[in-house]
Structure formats: structure tokens, C-alpha cells
Amino acid sequence: MLAVAVAVIAVAALVTLVLTWRHPVHVTPGTPEAAVQKYIDAVLDHDSEAAVRMLAPDSPCDVEDVDRAYVGDDLQVSLRDVVVLATTARVEVVITSGSGGLIPDQSTERQTFRLVRNGGQWRITGAPWPLFECGDLK
Amino acid sequence: MIGGVVLLLVVAAIAGGIVAVVRRASHAEHPAGSPEGHVVRQLFQYLLLLVLLIVSAVGAAGLLGALLTRGTTFAASDTAIARSVAFTLVGLPLLFGLGWMTRRLHAQDPAEGRSIPWVAYLSFASLISLTVALNALQATVAGVLGLRRLDRMDVASALVWCGAWALHWWLCRRQADQGPLQPLQLAGSLLGLTFGLVGLGTVLSGTLERWFGLAGGSVLVGHDDVTLSGAVTFVLAGAVWVRYWLFAALRSTRGVLWHLYVLLLGVAAGLIVTLTAASIAAARLLVWLVGDPWTSDAHRYFGPMPATLAAATVGLLTLAYHQAVLRSVGHEERTEIERLRDYLLSAVGLGAVCAGSTIIVVALVEAAVDPSLVGGGDATNILIVAITLLVVGGPVWQLFWRRGQRAAAAGPEELGSLTRRLYLFLLLGLTSVATVGALLAGAWVLVDRILQDQSTAASIRSIRYPIGILATAAAVAAYHWAVYGADRGRRAKVPHRPPSFVLLLGVADAATALAVGRRLGATVWAWTRYDVPPEAWPEDQLVAAVQACGAPETVVLADTGGLHAVPVSRHAWNASEIHAVSTTPSPVSGAAPPAM
């Protein structure tokens, strides 16, 4: 009886997971969330030049800052909220990091990316995740 | 190159030396009367074998990993390669040499294979290799399925440690007597059960997140890999559990260790996890519905809810399964194991009730000294937590405590059971300590506040927690003192059964024993003691000693203070021990036993 219960739970869970499996979405190009996605993709690919191209010109961060930033391998970024105000925008994401080992050690953090429209393109201002301390160490 | 050859020669010489020493030791005659030396040799030999196994496996896995990652961005460092080479070159020859000697020893002396150090070696080697192999295998399978980055070092580690585990699994299967391997079987079962439940809980948690719409928004980067990694863990650890529990431990002798595993790690741990998770889930829901939640964002507030519900579910499954296993043992009479389970789970429920009632008393004291707090958000939330603990813990305590109370009312066995008395003594001891501690802390804080010229209300509020603990501990202590008193009263009323068996140990001759047997109507044996001169005590004194003892089975012997009657039981042995003593002389009812 209990074996049946465990089997039912396992099968129902797996079916649900497979049916609702979430692949990374391709957001509309030219939107703030597309700029954030492009920036995070570049950071995870260790393509610092591409990442810096997504930063606003007045950002204190440069290629060396991105080179120094540490990002784990097992990472998932979900979109929480997007607020657009004329030439500025705010994109909230949830970053889940950690491995799915024998004992999962996941951690979740919320990050907000602030963007500004620059020459018709959305660019990230300030020192966005995972940088935090651009320029201070130089 | 020359250095490497020299190093190899040195290692080979050391390995040969150690093997020769062990071989000489194994061929040497064991001098009579020095079994300690034999045991010490076994201890060091198998400890060395275990260390060499670990060193060799770590080295081999490192070398294989370096080979697999060669040319990739994850290539092993020079230091890691140097360590792996050293471990392999030194460890493997020694391991093979010692392993070969061990095999010869076992062939020459079958008792060697039954020795405790060898069984301990098998158990530790199996468990260590199983744990490392499971971890590496999970990472490898998850990597192959694309759920995480495939690390080839994990692949190498999985291959080597799975091989080590398989070798020891085969060695364990060859053991003629599987009984001493029960601790290994139970430890393997625990390993599989724990990680299997963690995997199932992870999968369930991810599923509930989707059902409740808490899985978050669109994924910008990455996959839902952790949840499916949980499925991999569940399958692999489940296989370990099936191997070690269903096909081994479940079919093994159901002794003390087996029952401790089922009771403590199955039933009690399952109940504790279930109660804790259910309490947290219920309190969180009630605070959202009628209390003052810390945020109005339902996504954030109920974010941890799926994990909590998943923990409650896997805890409940563990509890239900192990309860079913215990029921399958099927004793007609209430056994000490069942008592242990009932009082243990009763204690768990009582703990939740005590926590809830303490919080309520604290809230009442706060409300009494500062009525403005009543109806406040924090006060409501605290009250909800307290009521949840009472609602969850109360029925559990009632269910299991009533079983004990019903059994106590039904017969004297429960009243005299060690488990019930221990339960009562432990509770009384804990409540006494809590009472004294709360009194001391309360008095200290109260005097301190008075000396600081604080108001009466503020002073009383500062000791609300000692008051809460004191009130709860006093109530629990009073109730259990009453139960203990009632038990003692009922035990005193239990009529003494007439003696049915008496062993006169060096205190009577044949004629006296015959007379004592006739007067008591009991089976009487008289045994001679070689350590004291033979002596026949007066018949009246012997009869009085037996009657004063009041036990159905008694041993009477003489010491410096006179006759000493000891109540005994001849029925506390297991079947093999009864068989072992069945060769003792048959009793002679009311007749003279073998003469002194």
C-alpha cells in the first residue's frame, strides 16, 4: 500500500515536472528584460567584453571587474517583475544557485537591475550583480 | 626516469617488508593463553587494510580523473596528480599484498573470517565505498542527463568506488554467518532511506511549487535542474535502500539493534519530522488567514510552504511504513519494544504540548500586565503558534499515552515494566530541573528589576518566560507524580504469587530441601557450593526467607548477614540459551535433589 503511495507520488511529480519543464525564454529584443538576459548570459559565458557592452556608459564597471567576478556553475535566473518608466526601467529577478547533489544546497536571492535607455538601447546602470564593488579595488 | 625507478624499488621493498612481517605473524604459532595478541594483530591488520583501501581508491580515482580530463579546461592540477600518483604507487601494491595475505589467513583458519575485526573492516569498507560511490554516481548521472555540468572527476570517482563497493558486497555475501553484518545492513538501510527521502522530498517540493503557482516567473537563464536531480537521488538511494533493507535487514534477526533502528530512526524520527513540518505549515497558514503575516506578497510568504509540506509527507511515509513493519512482528502480548515505541512517541507529543502551553502562559502574563498588547499582530501570531502546537501534539500524546494507561489498568506487567518507570522518572527529573532552573532565573531577573526601580508590571513582564516554564513544568510534574503514585499503589495491591521454584544454594542438605519443598508446595533444588563449607540452615528460616521474598521463583543463599533470598526468573532467555541449559538436572518436585 505504502509502496503504491510512494510510486503514485513519484510518478505524479515526474509527470508534473516534465510537463511544466521551464526552458529559458527568448524575451522580446529591445526590452529591458532582454538586455538583462543578454548581460547575464555573457557573464555566465565568461564573455566579459560582451557583458560590459550591456552596461551604461556611466557605469563604474569595466572588463577587469567582470573578469574578477565569481559566478557558480549551477545557476538559474527567473524574471520577477519589470517596471518601465519612460527612459528608465527596473527589472527584478530571482537568482537560484547551488547544486542538486545528494543533499541539495540551494540558495535564493533577489536582485534588481536598473536600466536606462541610451541611444534607443536599454543599458544597465551602476554595478549590477555579480559585480558590487567596481572601481574600488583599482 | 631513474628517480622514478628507484622510487618504485623503494616502494616495492617496503611493501615486501610489510607483507613478510604479516606473513610471519600469521604463520607463527599463537602461544596458548595470549588471545589478546591475536586480537591486536587482527585490529592492526584490518585497520591497515582499510586505510590502504581508501588511499588506493583515492589515488586511482584521481589518476583516472586526470586521464579523463586531459586536454579539457577542467584538467587536474600538478599537485593533485602528484598526490594521486603517490597514493596509487604506495597504496595499491601494499593493498594487494595485504589482501593476498588476508586471503591466505582466511583459508588456513576459518575462524579468522568470523572475527570481529574482519566483520568491522567489511562493514566500514562497504559503508565508506557506498557513500562515496553514491555521491559520485548521483553527480555523474545528473551530469549525463544534462541537469548539471558533467565533471569527469565524478565519473572516475564513481567507477573506482563502485568497484570497491562491489568487491566488498561480494565479500559480505561470502560470509557464512550474516548475523554479525546486521549493523552494516542497518547502516546501509539508513543511508538509502535518508538520501532517498531527501530526493523524494526535493521532487515533491518542486512539484508542489508548480501546483501552487509558486515556481516563479519566466526562466531567463538555466534550468530547473535541482528538482530533477532530486529524482536521480531518489532512484539511486532507493536502490541502496532496497538492497540493504528489503533484501537484507528486513529479513535479519529482529533483536535489540533492529528494533532500535525501526523505532528510533523509522517511527520516532518520522513522527518528529511530520509533527515539526505540519506545525510550521499550519501556523504559517493560520497566520496568513487570521494573524498578521510579515508580508502581503503571497509568493514570498508561501515560498517555503512546498518544502514544508514535502517534509511532512516524507516524514509521514516513513512513520507509516515503519509502523506497519512493527505491526507485522505480531506479538500477542504487549512487548517491551511496543512500550518503548508508545512512551517515546508519547514524549514527542508531550514536548509539543508543553511548548504550546508555555507560550500560552507567557501570552497570558503579557496580556495581564499590558492589556494593550491584546489583539496586536505579534500577540495573535504567537497565540496561533501555541494553539497549533497544542492541536498537533495533543492528539499524538493522548493516543500513545492512553495505550500505556490502558495496559497499566489491565495488568501488573505494565506497572512493573522498566520502560514505563524510566519514562516517568525521566519526565519527573526533567520537570524538576526545569522548575528549579525557572525559579532561579525568575528570582534573579525579578530582584534585578526591583533593584532598578522598575514598575511592577514591567518586572512581572520580564519574568513571563520563567513563569510559563514553571507553570508547565509544575503541571506536567504534578500529573506524572499522581500517575507514579497510582502505579505504586496498584503494584502494592498485586497479590504475591506462591513460590513455585526455589534453588537452595549451599544452605540445605537433601532432607531439609525435601521438607522445605513439602511445606512450600514448590519445586526445590539444592546445590552445593565449593567456595564455602557445607551448612544446613534450619527449615523454618529457609521457608521464612522464601516467603519474605514473595517471588514465584527464588534463589536462597547465605552471606555474612544471614540468609539472602533473591527473586529470579527462569524465563528471560531466548531459545538458544534455553537449549543450552536444558542439560541441567531435572527438578524434583517436593523431593530431595542430588545430595549435598
Side-chain angles (χ1 to χ4, degrees):
Chain A
M1 188 63 190
L2 281 165
V4 174
V6 172
V8 167
I9 290 174
V11 170
L14 284 176
V15 168
T16 306
L17 290 175
V18 170
L19 290 180
T20 58
W21 181 254
R22 295 181 304 163
H23 293 282
V25 294
H26 294 287
V27 291
T28 311
T31 58
E33 53 269 37
V36 170
Q37 187 181 38
K38 206 168 177 181
Y39 167 76
I40 296 175
D41 274 336
V43 168
L44 293 181
D45 288 343
H46 302 287
D47 187 351
S48 303
E49 287 79 9
V52 169
R53 278 198 294 275
M54 298 310 298
L55 299 180
D58 61 348
S59 170
C61 304
D62 59 20
V63 175
E64 290 178 6
D65 293 314
V66 182
D67 283 342
R68 277 198 300 269
Y70 171 77
V71 185
D73 292 317
D74 302 307
L75 204 75
Q76 187 204 66
V77 182
S78 302
L79 188 63
R80 286 289 301 162
D81 198 16
V82 180
V83 178
V84 181
L85 297 169
T87 57
T88 60
R90 192 179 72 232
V91 177
E92 284 183 21
V93 297
V94 175
I95 299 169
T96 306
S97 55
S99 69
L102 271 186
I103 296 179
D105 54 344
Q106 267 196 315
S107 64
T108 300
E109 58 177 319
R110 284 188 167 213
Q111 291 291 340
T112 301
F113 291 87
R114 296 185 187 282
L115 298 96
V116 62
R117 189 184 283 276
N118 187 341
Q121 300 289 321
W122 287 105
R123 291 290 179 261
I124 302 167
T125 62
W129 177 92
L131 299 175
F132 304 113
E133 289 186 2
C134 294
D136 293 349
L137 300 175
K138 292 174 191 170
Chain B
M1 183 66 189
I2 295 172
V5 173
V6 171
L7 177 67
L8 276 176
L9 287 174
V10 170
V11 169
I14 294 171
I18 292 178
V19 168
V21 168
V22 173
R23 187 177 182 183
R24 191 174 300 165
S26 65
H27 281 233
E29 290 290 326
H30 300 302
S34 63
E36 297 84 0
H38 193 52
V39 173
V40 170
R41 191 267 302 161
Q42 286 177 331
L43 277 175
F44 277 101
Q45 180 183 339
Y46 296 126
L47 183 64
L48 185 62
L49 199 61
L50 183 65
V51 171
L52 288 174
L53 172 77
I54 295 169
V55 166
S56 305
V58 168
L63 275 184
L64 188 59
L67 202 65
L68 292 176
T69 56
R70 198 172 55 176
T72 69
T73 54
F74 302 103
S77 67
D78 289 344
T79 308
I81 292 175
R83 186 195 59 201
S84 301
V85 169
F87 277 20
T88 309
L89 280 181
V90 175
L92 263 184
L94 288 173
L95 179 68
F96 283 130
L98 197 55
W100 177 71
M101 286 311 308
T102 303
R103 192 181 170 194
R104 287 200 57 181
L105 272 175
H106 284 218
Q108 289 167 0
D109 182 8
E112 189 79 13
R114 296 190 297 270
S115 67
I116 292 175
W118 170 247
V119 172
Y121 163 78
L122 279 182
S123 303
F124 280 111
S126 298
L127 275 179
I128 291 169
S129 53
L130 176 67
T131 309
V132 183
L134 189 60
N135 188 45
L137 206 56
Q138 198 271 354
T140 302
V141 175
V144 168
L145 293 177
L147 303 174
R148 59 186 297 186
R149 183 176 60 79
L150 178 62
D151 188 341
R152 296 181 189 186
M153 295 299 284
D154 286 333
V155 179
S157 193
L159 285 172
V160 171
W161 285 100
C162 279
W165 176 80
L167 172 69
H168 289 88
W169 177 73
W170 177 70
L171 288 171
C172 287
R173 294 260 300 179
R174 286 185 48 172
Q175 288 290 106
D177 184 8
Q178 293 287 311
L181 289 172
Q182 193 186 46
L184 165 66
Q185 295 165 353
L186 292 174
S189 305
L190 179 63
L191 194 79
L193 180 71
T194 306
F195 288 126
L197 290 178
V198 168
L200 184 64
T202 306
V203 173
L204 199 54
S205 173
T207 308
L208 291 175
E209 274 183 3
R210 282 156 177 75
W211 287 354
F212 295 159
L214 296 170
S218 310
V219 174
L220 291 178
V221 177
H223 297 279
D224 300 324
D225 53 353
V226 171
T227 309
L228 280 181
S229 287
V232 175
T233 305
F234 172 62
V235 171
L236 292 176
V240 170
W241 182 76
V242 168
R243 161 70 188 90
Y244 278 96
W245 175 253
L246 289 186
F247 290 127
L250 184 60
R251 301 172 181 183
S252 63
T253 308
R254 300 187 172 188
V256 174
L257 192 65
W258 188 91
H259 279 99
L260 280 178
Y261 170 84
V262 176
L263 270 174
L264 293 181
L265 303 172
V267 177
L271 184 70
I272 289 170
V273 170
T274 306
L275 281 185
T276 308
S279 302
I280 291 171
R284 187 169 280 266
L285 184 64
L286 286 173
V287 167
W288 178 262
L289 292 175
V290 296
D292 183 22
W294 56 270
T295 176
S296 58
D297 183 349
H299 272 83
R300 291 185 70 187
Y301 184 78
F302 287 110
M305 200 63 147
T308 311
L309 292 178
T313 307
V314 296
L316 200 61
L317 284 173
T318 313
L319 170 67
Y321 172 75
H322 290 93
Q323 279 272 53
V325 169
L326 273 184
R327 274 197 297 272
S328 70
V329 175
H331 292 292
E332 288 181 6
E333 295 177 357
R334 183 172 160 83
T335 63
E336 210 61 28
I337 297 296
E338 286 168 309
R339 291 191 185 102
L340 186 61
R341 177 200 57 195
D342 289 347
Y343 289 115
L344 194 65
L345 300 187
S346 170
V348 172
L350 186 60
V353 171
C354 288
S357 53
T358 302
I359 294 172
I360 285 181
V361 173
V362 170
L364 286 176
V365 173
E366 277 195 321
V369 297
D370 188 358
S372 67
L373 292 172
V374 178
D378 287 345
T380 309
N381 291 353
I382 290 171
L383 204 59
I384 287 172
V385 171
I387 291 171
T388 305
L389 284 169
L390 287 175
V391 168
V392 173
V396 174
W397 175 63
Q398 272 294 301
L399 175 68
F400 291 102
W401 174 241
R402 275 191 178 178
R403 283 188 189 174
Q405 288 294 81
R406 276 199 298 270
E413 287 79 13
E414 187 77 13
L415 299 173
S417 81
L418 180 65
T419 309
R420 182 179 174 89
R421 281 186 290 172
L422 265 180
Y423 173 80
L424 290 173
F425 284 138
L426 279 176
L427 271 184
L428 292 172
L430 283 174
T431 49
S432 303
V433 171
T435 304
V436 172
L439 270 176
L440 280 172
W444 183 2
V445 174
L446 188 62
V447 171
D448 184 52
R449 295 293 185 274
I450 291 171
L451 290 177
Q452 290 177 15
D453 286 336
Q454 288 196 357
S455 66
T456 308
S459 300
I460 293 176
R461 188 168 185 273
S462 65
I463 57 167
R464 61 194 184 284
Y465 286 106
I467 290 175
I469 294 170
L470 195 63
T472 305
V476 172
Y479 174 72
H480 288 92
W481 264 117
V483 171
Y484 178 67
D487 279 9
R488 285 188 65 181
R490 274 186 275 181
R491 271 204 301 271
K493 287 177 188 170
V494 174
H496 284 177
R497 282 185 282 173
S500 60
F501 172 81
V502 177
L503 172 61
L504 301 173
L505 195 57
V507 290
D509 55 19
T512 312
L514 188 63
V516 170
R518 282 192 187 128
R519 282 184 60 177
L520 293 173
T523 300
V524 176
W525 289 5
W527 285 4
T528 304
R529 285 176 63 172
Y530 289 132
D531 59 333
V532 293
E535 184 181 6
W537 284 69
E539 175 190 324
D540 289 342
Q541 289 188 27
L542 290 169
V543 170
V546 172
Q547 287 175 334
C549 182
E553 295 174 338
T554 312
V555 173
V556 183
L557 66 163
D559 54 25
T560 52
L563 284 176
H564 185 197
V566 182
V568 295
S569 169
R570 293 178 300 161
H571 305 291
W573 302 321
N574 63 36
S576 61
E577 286 169 325
I578 290 170
H579 177 73
V581 300
S582 65
T583 53
T584 51
S586 301
V588 182
S589 181
M596 293 183 68

